[in-house]
Amino acid sequence: MRMSDDAPEGFLEVVSRLREARLRPEVILEEVPAPQRIAPFALALSADVVSEDDEDLATGRFVLLHDPSAPEPWEGTYRVVSFIRAALENDLATDPLMGQVGWAWLQESLSAAGADHVASGGTITRVVSESFGELSGNAPTVDIELRASWTPVNDAVIHLSAWSELLCTVGGLPPVAPGVTALPRKRR
């Protein structure tokens, strides 16, 4: 995707590093059109977590906004806006702690990666889908949706890495041990 000709050099450098970021092999990352009205400059990335047998485990979006005017609620000139969605086991639909668990996953992912941040906020939603009529044979499904935003204090690549680990966690993958590099996926 092409960036605006008037984008600040610092933002363009961050964008270049995000485009080159190396994530877990289960994470398929692609650049998508960024929102136009939230901030003067933005980069949007869409990601899917895919199992070894090509099963979709989670999906999400990571958007880095940049506003040189440093909007007061942001407490900085950059802002990460994220979305993650994954299927849950049906019995978790009524778990009263699921929202707190989802938020803890986010905070733990950021902390484990050293992704320093301020002004974080978000929502955790459980979506229960039931089918009727011609679709009544479909079993009910439960998804978790995590929407969060925060202001990164250090390198945005660290925040993308933390977010991608969160995406894998929500998708049900075990963490990769520190110091271990996951092998690339086999291409089919």
Side-chain angles (χ1 to χ4, degrees), residues 90-103 124 126:
N90 287 352
D91 60 332
L92 294 176
T94 57
D95 185 335
L97 298 178
M98 195 65 234
Q100 293 172 20
V101 169
W103 189 253
I124 310 295
R126 286 163 284 187

Side-chain angles (χ1 to χ4, degrees), residues 26 50-55 57 173 185-186 188:
E26 300 93 347
V50 180
S51 69
E52 287 182 2
D53 55 345
D54 288 331
E55 178 187 358
L57 302 175
L173 293 180
R185 283 174 45 97
K186 292 179 183 174
R188 292 183 182 196

Side-chain angles (χ1 to χ4, degrees), residues 32-154:
V32 295
Q36 302 289 314
R37 298 182 193 150
I38 302 173
F41 309 101
L43 172 74
L45 301 169
S46 178
D48 292 308
V49 175
V50 180
S51 69
E52 287 182 2
D53 55 345
D54 288 331
E55 178 187 358
D56 289 333
L57 302 175
T59 190
R61 203 169 262 225
F62 179 95
V63 179
L64 181 68
L65 305 173
H66 178 56
D67 187 340
S69 74
E72 189 176 326
W74 290 12
E75 299 180 31
T77 60
Y78 287 91
R79 187 81 176 161
V80 171
V81 179
S82 70
F83 170 79
I84 292 175
R85 183 180 186 126
L88 290 176
E89 294 181 23
N90 287 352
D91 60 332
L92 294 176
T94 57
D95 185 335
L97 298 178
M98 195 65 234
Q100 293 172 20
V101 169
W103 189 253
W105 285 341
L106 169 66
Q107 296 302 311
E108 290 167 7
S109 293
L110 292 171
S111 177
D116 298 332
H117 62 285
V118 295
S120 62
T123 62
I124 310 295
T125 306
R126 286 163 284 187
V127 179
V128 179
S129 299
E130 297 179 77
S131 300
F132 299 93
E134 294 294 319
L135 301 176
S136 63
N138 296 343
T141 61
V142 178
D143 289 338
I144 185 171
E145 294 182 349
L146 190 153
R147 291 174 175 81
S149 65
W150 63 90
T151 298
V153 175
N154 51 359

Side-chain angles (χ1 to χ4, degrees), residues 164-178:
S164 72
E165 285 298 323
L166 172 63
L167 187 67
C168 291
T169 297
V170 174
L173 293 180
V176 174

